[in-house]
Amino acid sequence: MAQRTTRSRRLGTVRALLARHSGPDAAFGRRLVLAVTATAAVAVPFALALVLVESRWAPLYRLDRSTAERLHRTALEHPARVRVLDFFTGVVWDPVTMRLLVAALVVWLLTRRAWRLATWAAVTATSGALIGFLVKNAVERARPHLPEPVAHAPGFSFPSGHAMTVMTSCAVLLLVLLPLVPRAWRALPWALATAAVLGVGYTRVALGVHWVSDVVGGWLLGIAVVTATTLAFEAWRADTGRPRTTVGEGLEPEISSASDPEAPSRPTAPSAL
């Protein structure tokens, strides 16, 4: 009888532990660990790039120098091309332009009562700009010094603010607006975003105001910021009972049809059949 009592107590303890580890607190813990792990994994490439830049790794230095000199010679030979590149990098893809697009998106989301989605977009853009500024001033890398420069830019070089801003802004615009685009046309916004990201990278190096590693560092840091804020938004969706989404679906697919896209999810009534 005593053995049975002891066995029953042990079974009860095991059941209590299993129940504790399968409840909402455990689910939150698993999401938190997953978010931290994913963010750290995405941040590793940027950290590696930062270490290589700070240590003045010779192969990276040669790549930066040779690319800058080659593109600079091309720029000196084609002044008309320089004017085109300057227009795109200084007007079309300028950080001010990209941030105004995100600001307009935030206002539009507020009119649709998508409060959390608007907050996510604003926080992603703002934190990206702040983090980029802080890292740039912490590293204090000098910009390229080339003979007969075709363009000038103030401040430090690593990471590229243009590259980081276009990465975060295009990610915000895509993840919010994709649900509104018909599936047959979704390749178009992806193509436009890719062209903007690559175009900014090329123009900054071709105009001699950034090294290649500056541009890559800006891209990587932008991806890390977007990943961190997106995982936080996904945690909110999970807490409200919404299904997980994929990048191709956008961050909040419900925005395409619901008048109040952030209304709490309600369980579906059981069928009479």
Side-chain angles (χ1 to χ4, degrees):
M1 180 66 69
Q3 291 180 348
R4 290 182 179 179
T5 302
T6 302
R7 186 179 302 172
S8 298
R9 289 176 178 173
R10 289 176 179 174
L11 289 175
T13 302
V14 171
R15 292 192 187 98
L17 288 173
L18 290 175
R20 184 181 301 174
H21 287 286
S22 61
D25 291 340
F28 173 74
R30 287 192 295 270
R31 289 199 302 272
L32 185 61
V33 171
L34 178 62
V36 171
T37 303
T39 303
V42 174
V44 164
F46 172 75
L48 177 60
L50 177 58
V51 169
L52 295 178
V53 167
E54 286 283 72
S55 63
R56 301 180 184 275
W57 191 47
L60 181 61
Y61 176 81
R62 289 195 295 269
L63 173 65
D64 280 340
R65 175 61 61 178
S66 62
T67 304
E69 291 175 350
R70 184 173 64 254
L71 291 179
H72 184 62
R73 288 194 297 269
T74 302
L76 291 176
E77 295 169 359
H78 301 88
R81 181 183 300 180
V82 171
R83 289 192 292 271
V84 173
L85 296 178
D86 191 59
F87 171 76
F88 275 97
T89 194
V91 178
V92 180
W93 297 323
D94 185 76
V96 174
T97 303
M98 303 306 298
R99 288 166 187 156
L100 285 176
L101 288 175
V102 174
L105 177 70
V106 170
V107 171
W108 177 76
L109 289 172
L110 292 175
T111 63
R112 290 182 61 89
R113 303 173 61 85
W115 314 116
R116 290 182 178 86
L117 196 56
T119 301
W120 171 82
V123 168
T124 301
T126 304
S127 60
L130 179 60
I131 291 172
F133 175 79
L134 292 176
V135 173
K136 188 186 291 281
N137 283 273
V139 176
E140 295 186 343
R141 189 188 196 187
R143 293 182 183 271
H145 293 284
L146 300 168
E148 302 180 49
V150 298
H152 300 275
F156 298 111
S157 189
F158 182 91
S160 167
H162 278 69
M164 185 176 179
T165 301
V166 76
M167 177 63 76
T168 55
S169 299
C170 285
V172 167
L173 293 169
L174 277 175
L175 290 175
V176 171
L177 297 178
L178 270 180
L180 305 176
V181 180
R183 290 188 179 274
W185 290 90
R186 287 187 182 178
L188 179 59
W190 279 105
L192 292 174
T194 302
V197 170
L198 296 179
V200 164
Y202 176 77
T203 58
R204 302 310 287 170
V205 180
L207 291 173
V209 293
H210 275 294
W211 306 106
V212 171
S213 53
D214 297 337
V215 170
V216 175
W219 290 341
L220 294 175
L221 188 55
I223 291 173
V225 170
V226 173
T227 299
T229 59
T230 299
L231 288 172
F233 191 88
E234 283 291 333
W236 167 78
R237 284 183 61 85
D239 288 340
T240 56
R242 295 174 181 267
R244 296 183 63 86
T245 61
T246 64
V247 174
E249 295 174 318
L251 205 58
E252 185 97 300
E254 297 84 357
I255 198 172
S256 63
S257 57
S259 57
D260 187 356
E262 294 184 359
S265 299
R266 296 179 176 83
T268 305
S271 173
L273 300 178

